[in-house]
Amino acid sequence: MNTLTRKIIMCLTGLFLCFFLIIHFLGNLQLFLPAEEAQKSFNAYSRFLSGNPFIKIISYGLYACIIAHALDALYITIQNKKSGGAFKHDKRDRASKWYTRNMGILGFVILLFLVLHFQNFWYYYKFGSLSLDQSGNKDLYTLVVISFQQWWIVLIYVLSMLALFYHLVHGVHSATRTLGLFHPKYVRWIQKTGVLYAVVICLGFALMPIYIYFTY
């Protein structure tokens, strides 16, 4: 598999993950509801996601995309490092954004965050001994609230969303070029759309733990 094919796969998996972020974001907006309503609604939503066969199939695709995206990004980063010897003194890096030159680091931070996120919530929901709410659903909401009452977890989430923001800003822009959807006439609109998307998603996710930390 050549580098171009890996870039295309990385773009397609990245775009799928961008779409998933929208769905995940909309579902998690329930955390901003009043406590009693949020608990009932969020726990019912979590039960639906874990019990629906179609959603399970989508989740397997999600896991596969995360792994494929990370592995392809690692491979491309290594190849770029190997072939970059002749360009170490090239001045082109001065014209590029710092986050463009450090996508590998940002991706690694996000990957570590995903491990923490899955361990904090997904693992405990699947294999832990969560109590049940009044509707008989696993009380994931209370676990979320307890987790986000710890300042260091909130800080990790906020910093991770900052890393995700820069990753998305570059990723959306890069994906359109790799897939041949880039046109000079629309470059500014593509960039603005990517930035707007990244702001809404990352700011929204960052505000969730902050809101819970200062509310409860």
Side-chain angles (χ1 to χ4, degrees), residues 30 38-50 125 133 135 137-138 140-141:
Q30 297 171 97
Q39 181 184 33
K40 181 179 179 180
S41 178
F42 188 74
N43 289 340
Y45 168 73
S46 300
R47 181 178 181 178
F48 169 76
L49 292 182
S50 63
Y125 188 86
D133 63 14
S135 300
N137 297 319
K138 288 185 178 181
L140 180 62
Y141 175 79

Side-chain angles (χ1 to χ4, degrees), residues 196-207:
L196 178 62
Y197 167 81
V199 168
V200 172
I201 293 296
C202 297
L203 182 61
F205 275 124
L207 287 176

Side-chain angles (χ1 to χ4, degrees), residues 13 30 93 95:
T13 54
Q30 297 171 97
D93 64 336

Side-chain angles (χ1 to χ4, degrees), residues 45-116:
Y45 168 73
S46 300
R47 181 178 181 178
F48 169 76
L49 292 182
S50 63
N52 187 290
F54 177 74
I55 299 298
K56 283 187 176 182
I57 295 174
I58 297 298
S59 67
Y60 295 142
L62 171 66
Y63 307 147
C65 281
I66 292 174
I67 294 172
H69 191 77
L71 291 178
D72 280 340
L74 178 62
Y75 175 85
I76 292 171
T77 299
I78 293 174
Q79 291 300 112
N80 287 342
K81 291 291 184 181
K82 289 181 178 179
S83 62
F87 301 98
K88 286 183 179 179
H89 302 291
D90 198 331
K91 296 182 180 180
R92 284 178 297 177
D93 64 336
R94 297 179 183 178
S96 62
K97 303 292 185 180
W98 68 268
Y99 54 83
T100 300
R101 301 191 301 271
N102 294 282
M103 282 292 283
I105 296 176
L106 293 175
F108 182 69
V109 170
I110 296 167
L111 185 61
L112 290 180
F113 163 76
L114 286 175
V115 172
L116 174 66

Side-chain angles (χ1 to χ4, degrees), residues 111-167:
L111 185 61
L112 290 180
F113 163 76
L114 286 175
V115 172
L116 174 66
H117 184 65
F118 275 97
Q119 191 273 334
N120 277 350
F121 303 120
W122 180 87
Y123 179 83
Y124 277 101
Y125 188 86
K126 291 289 186 180
F127 307 107
S129 300
L130 291 179
S131 59
L132 304 180
D133 63 14
Q134 294 181 351
S135 300
N137 297 319
K138 288 185 178 181
D139 197 1
L140 180 62
Y141 175 79
T142 297
L143 177 62
V144 171
V145 170
I146 292 174
S147 297
F148 290 153
Q149 286 177 335
Q150 303 177 66
W151 68 268
W152 62 273
I153 292 183
V154 174
L155 180 61
I156 289 174
Y157 269 70
V158 172
L159 293 178
S160 297
M161 289 306 101
L162 183 61
L164 179 62
F165 169 78
Y166 287 112
H167 194 79

